Amino acid sequence: MENSVSKLFILFLSTALLLATELIQCTVTYDSKAIIINGQRRILISGSIHYPRSTPDMWEDLMQKAKDGGIDVIDTYVFWSGHEPSPGNYNFEGSYDLVHFVKTAQKLGLYVMLRIGPYVCAEWNFGYSVTLSIVLAAAMQKFTTKIVAMMKKRNLFESQGGPIILSQIENEYGGVEKLLGAPGQAYMNWTASMAVGLDTGVPWVMCKQPDAPDPVINTFNGFYCDTFSPNKPYKPTMWTEAWSGWFTEFGGPIHKRPVEDLAFAVARFILRGGSFVNYYMYHGGTNFGRTAGGPFITTSYDYDAPIDEYGLIRDPKYGHLKELHRAIKQCEQALVSSDPNVTKFGPALQAHVFSGQGFCSAFLSNSDTKSAAQVKFYNKKYKLPPWSISILPNCSSAPVFNTAKNIGLHYETRAGGILGPVTLSGLDQGTTVLTWQKWTYKVGMKGEAMDLASPNNVSSVEWTQGLSSEGQNPLTWYRAYFDAPEGDEPLALDMLSMGKGQAWINGQSIGRYWPVYAQGNCSTCSYVGRYHVPRSWLQPTQNLLVIFEELFGDVFKIALVKRTSST
């Protein structure tokens, strides 16, 4: 009897283990129509959220807002320079806790696209150059392998039951390969082979890489994705960067992309066979510290995204896209199960009809940028505004949504930094030209090396107290203490009274401040001099603010303000 019970227990345990194994044996494949997750073709809407451009306490809220807005996938680059600031010295803590970021997406039932690179561009300082990637191939392989192993160890790939359904190797390399010729192509093939050999169990992609070798999927980045098609007929059509706006440069305009144009671009991509679209960015965030790329990328990486730099919903962009996503999802079965029957009503007017047994969805489009039009479809008349698409999940019903309603080679040689001429005057010899002397580059200032911004440091300098507004000079360090304001609204440091420099709060760098105004005929293009301060950086009282001012300014007008809405 005892033996029988033991056998029964072993049988039960074996069955349980078998069932558990089957539960985590998830699959991600693809065909010409779409990414296939566990046997189901999917129309996937993705949004880029970069973990080091926010703080860990913001991640869940950002992702929940993305999910509520109709996002299926959280897309992020993996930032090599942040994770390995020097060879073999790794950082996966705080805002660089990649595992925590991925697990947060998993907790909310979201998928993840992990763009490992390691070259990422992303207007990120030391995002690394595509040409340097070849030189650093061994280091690149080591880092890529480390990231994949880290994800595997925690069962984070979909093939292990995790949320990661796609990975990217390299980034926008196609143009560089073309210029380099055979060596460039050899590097690209090696990169793809290396990535596939890591055996993640999910597909790899290469963006803007027309000759990506099988089984890697080539994808597209840009404002529009009208003419792109993958390099093989059995690969899905994927748009890895649909630009929701654009980055800002000090002294340049703040770019805005009308949501009506963005929605039109996405709907047209879908009706032409696209099945994966990623908004770059869905939340842009902040370039804390010295992470902003050069030469003049601003501290704010807001990007006119649906969720603004502070984590607030930006309407009408957020709400408009949410309705677009809802309409597209209602057409998902038709889109992944059939090819469109296209009817032309005129030069700029078309109907794309996806139909089969038990379903019929239609997209009515007017690509004329100036004139509205009326078309007759299924014995009904529909008015189409200019540059718009009406989506009908059911061909015989009224539309549920209309879109109108409501880089190069050798970046390391690019001129930047000290361009000259540099002269030294007043010496006995007259004027000495220093332009062609050997110049070296050093990150940081002496005050940083002395930990002047650290709240825990016993000061090694004597601070002058009782500052007057008349006594302020350039190239000066300032410090003050303040209490955290009540409430939970996002906060910003108002630096409009200052010139240019760096600021720290409790030892955390908010990045460069520089409320510079745009040149030329652009009266509304000034870069607003307010800088995101995450509340997680603050304590109730005695918060330390340290600034280094390079020019002139009035420190008495610096203020901590609340952000209560996003417009």
Side-chain angles (χ1 to χ4, degrees):
M1 181 65 178
E2 183 178 345
N3 190 43
S4 299
V5 172
S6 299
K7 289 181 178 179
L8 179 62
F9 176 75
I10 293 171
L11 177 61
F12 173 78
L13 181 61
S14 300
T15 304
L17 289 173
L18 179 60
L19 288 173
T21 303
E22 290 176 350
L23 284 174
I24 66 169
Q25 288 303 308
C26 307
T27 60
V28 185
T29 57
Y30 62 81
D31 63 11
S32 62
K33 282 289 185 186
I35 296 295
I36 302 171
I37 302 176
N38 299 327
Q40 299 294 318
R41 289 174 176 158
R42 295 292 305 275
I43 298 293
L44 294 170
I45 310 295
S46 174
S48 288
I49 298 176
H50 293 163
Y51 51 95
R53 284 175 162 146
S54 55
T55 56
D57 68 300
M58 296 173 65
W59 292 344
E60 185 168 340
D61 180 65
L62 292 173
M63 292 185 194
Q64 185 63 59
K65 287 173 178 172
K67 183 177 181 178
D68 293 343
I71 296 298
D72 306 302
V73 183
I74 299 299
D75 168 283
T76 185
Y77 281 123
V78 176
F79 294 84
W80 188 5
S81 62
H83 289 301
E84 192 178 5
S86 61
N89 178 28
Y90 295 105
N91 174 26
F92 291 96
E93 303 295 328
S95 290
Y96 289 96
D97 191 343
L98 178 59
V99 169
H100 178 39
F101 183 80
V102 174
K103 285 187 174 181
T104 301
Q106 184 180 31
K107 173 184 175 182
L108 296 176
L110 291 161
Y111 296 120
V112 172
M113 179 176 181
L114 203 61
R115 304 175 71 184
I116 299 175
Y119 166 66
V120 299
C121 186
E123 293 73 57
W124 181 266
N125 198 21
F126 292 108
Y128 287 94
S129 164
V130 285
T131 48
L132 284 177
S133 294
I134 300 177
V135 178
L136 301 174
M140 171 202 173
Q141 181 177 16
K142 180 181 178 182
F143 180 75
T144 302
T145 303
K146 183 177 182 66
I147 295 299
V148 169
M150 181 180 295
M151 298 300 109
K152 279 186 174 182
K153 181 179 179 181
R154 293 159 178 85
N155 297 320
L156 292 177
F157 286 103
E158 178 72 12
S159 56
Q160 302 171 295
I164 303 172
I165 58 170
L166 293 162
S167 294
Q168 179 180 300
I169 193 71
E170 257 299 339
N171 190 56
E172 299 180 332
Y173 183 73
V176 177
E177 177 200 335
K178 186 175 181 180
L179 291 171
L180 292 177
Q185 185 176 36
Y187 166 76
M188 184 274 299
N189 286 327
W190 169 81
T191 299
S193 177
M194 180 268 292
V196 173
L198 294 174
D199 192 26
T200 62
V202 303
W204 287 85
V205 306
M206 282 182 158
C207 64
K208 299 183 76 171
Q209 188 66 51
D211 59 347
D214 287 354
V216 178
I217 307 167
N218 64 304
T219 67
F220 188 77
N221 298 347
F223 283 110
Y224 303 96
C225 194
D226 301 335
T227 60
F228 170 77
S229 59
N231 59 20
K232 295 292 175 59
Y234 43 81
K235 295 180 181 180
T237 303
M238 299 177 60
W239 191 2
T240 38
E241 289 186 17
W243 296 332
S244 59
W246 200 243
F247 58 83
T248 307
E249 297 178 280
F250 286 110
I254 298 177
H255 301 280
K256 304 286 186 180
R257 184 176 188 184
V259 68
E260 297 84 356
D261 177 64
L262 179 57
F264 177 86
V266 171
R268 186 161 63 172
F269 171 71
I270 295 295
L271 69 84
R272 293 185 176 180
S275 58
F276 179 99
V277 58
N278 174 64
Y279 294 102
Y280 188 98
M281 300 292 294
Y282 199 78
H283 166 260
T286 307
N287 291 316
F288 296 114
R290 288 188 172 85
T291 58
F296 295 114
I297 303 301
T298 59
T299 302
S300 171
Y301 200 69
D302 182 86
Y303 224 87
D304 194 34
I307 301 175
D308 78 359
E309 177 183 4
Y310 298 84
L312 298 173
I313 287 172
R314 171 176 277 119
D315 276 326
K317 183 167 276 188
Y318 176 92
H320 196 80
L321 293 176
K322 179 178 180 177
E323 294 304 312
L324 169 67
H325 303 154
R326 180 181 290 124
I328 290 173
K329 287 296 184 177
Q330 291 179 43
C331 303
E332 184 171 26
Q333 180 187 5
L335 290 167
V336 301
S337 304
S338 62
D339 294 321
N341 180 20
V342 182
T343 300
K344 292 188 176 182
F345 301 110
L349 302 170
Q350 291 184 334
H352 285 68
V353 181
F354 299 82
S355 61
Q357 187 173 359
F359 59 82
C360 181
S361 298
F363 291 68
L364 310 180
S365 61
N366 177 12
S367 58
D368 191 294
T369 58
K370 298 180 179 179
S371 301
Q374 183 172 275
V375 298
K376 188 174 183 180
F377 178 75
Y378 271 56
N379 296 317
K380 295 181 181 179
K381 293 180 179 179
Y382 297 98
K383 185 176 181 180
L384 301 176
W387 198 246
S388 78
I389 296 172
S390 285
I391 301 176
L392 290 71
N394 187 326
C395 292
S396 59
S397 301
V400 299
F401 183 81
N402 179 275
T403 59
K405 291 180 180 177
N406 181 197
I407 289 198
L409 184 63
H410 296 306
Y411 293 104
E412 71 275 15
T413 64
R414 179 177 175 178
I418 300 174
L419 304 180
V422 181
T423 61
L424 184 63
S425 302
L427 300 178
D428 294 339
Q429 301 93 330
T431 299
T432 301
V433 179
L434 302 176
T435 305
W436 306 113
Q437 298 295 313
K438 181 178 180 180
W439 293 84
T440 59
Y441 179 68
K442 181 180 180 180
V443 177
M445 297 174 286
K446 184 176 180 180
E448 289 179 276
M450 297 169 67
D451 285 335
L452 296 188
S454 172
N456 302 317
N457 182 51
V458 177
S459 181
S460 57
V461 299
E462 183 177 347
W463 293 86
T464 301
Q465 296 185 359
L467 178 70
S468 66
S469 59
E470 291 78 18
Q472 299 182 37
N473 298 307
L475 300 176
T476 302
W477 290 84
Y478 300 92
R479 76 173 183 178
Y481 289 91
F482 66 94
D483 294 341
E486 296 180 352
D488 58 2
E489 301 93 338
L491 301 175
L493 193 65
D494 187 330
M495 302 293 285
L496 285 167
S497 66
M498 302 304 292
K500 179 164 71 80
Q502 302 275 344
W504 296 260
I505 290 180
N506 292 334
Q508 300 278 2
S509 172
I510 67 168
R512 175 175 294 281
Y513 66 83
W514 189 10
V516 67
Y517 290 84
Q519 303 297 314
N521 184 24
C522 190
S523 60
T524 62
C525 294
S526 63
Y527 174 59
V528 179
R530 297 185 178 91
Y531 302 85
H532 182 205
V533 179
R535 277 191 177 267
S536 62
W537 290 3
L538 303 182
Q539 53 199 20
T541 61
Q542 284 294 100
N543 294 284
L544 175 63
L545 168 64
V546 176
I547 68 170
F548 177 76
E549 173 59 45
E550 299 175 23
L551 305 174
F552 292 93
D554 188 348
V555 295
F556 293 100
K557 294 182 179 179
I558 295 173
L560 194 64
V561 297
K562 294 180 179 180
R563 182 70 175 266
T564 57
S565 64
S566 180
T567 57

